[in-house]
Amino acid sequence: RELRQGEFVIRLDKGDGLMKIGLDIMYNGSVSLGVKKVKEGLVSEWNKEYPQTTVCPGDVISEVNGCHGSPEKLLERIAYDRILNLTISRP
């Protein structure tokens, strides 16, 4: 799908050791996840490397690897997929 205004995609590779992405996340309604805190991990590394698309507390994760519609499905993809394409928006 095409990105909506205010959305961006970040790509993370958890590697063979399945590195932590470094986010505290919470349910954000019935279809997405909210970012509570960015901790040490892949997202903080992304933020250093790509300052124009930083992930911040309050951001919303609406899609993971093409999967959307349920926070449970998003969490499952984050837990089990090695490569993560996260669609993020800032409300």
Side-chain angles (χ1 to χ4, degrees):
R1 76 174 174 86
E2 288 198 30
L3 293 176
R4 296 184 188 106
Q5 185 163 349
E7 286 184 325
F8 58 95
V9 175
I10 69 168
R11 180 180 169 86
L12 306 173
D13 184 346
K14 296 194 297 187
D16 292 333
L18 296 180
M19 293 177 61
K20 295 205 178 289
I21 65 169
L23 288 178
D24 280 347
I25 49 182
M26 61 187 174
Y27 282 37
N28 186 50
S30 61
V31 296
S32 60
L33 297 168
V35 176
K36 287 197 317 189
K37 182 179 182 182
V38 178
K39 305 183 294 187
E40 193 63 35
L42 294 173
V43 172
S44 65
E45 292 300 314
W46 173 276
N47 285 351
K48 290 176 194 166
E49 201 165 326
Y50 302 97
Q52 70 280 10
T53 54
T54 58
V55 179
C56 304
D59 285 353
V60 174
I61 302 169
S62 58
E63 188 171 303
V64 180
N65 292 348
C67 184
H68 56 88
S70 144
E72 291 86 0
K73 288 180 183 177
L74 300 179
L75 286 171
E76 189 174 286
R77 295 282 49 89
I78 290 170
Y80 295 113
D81 293 357
R82 174 183 167 164
I83 304 292
L84 299 174
N85 293 292
L86 306 176
T87 301
I88 310 281
S89 63
R90 188 156 296 143

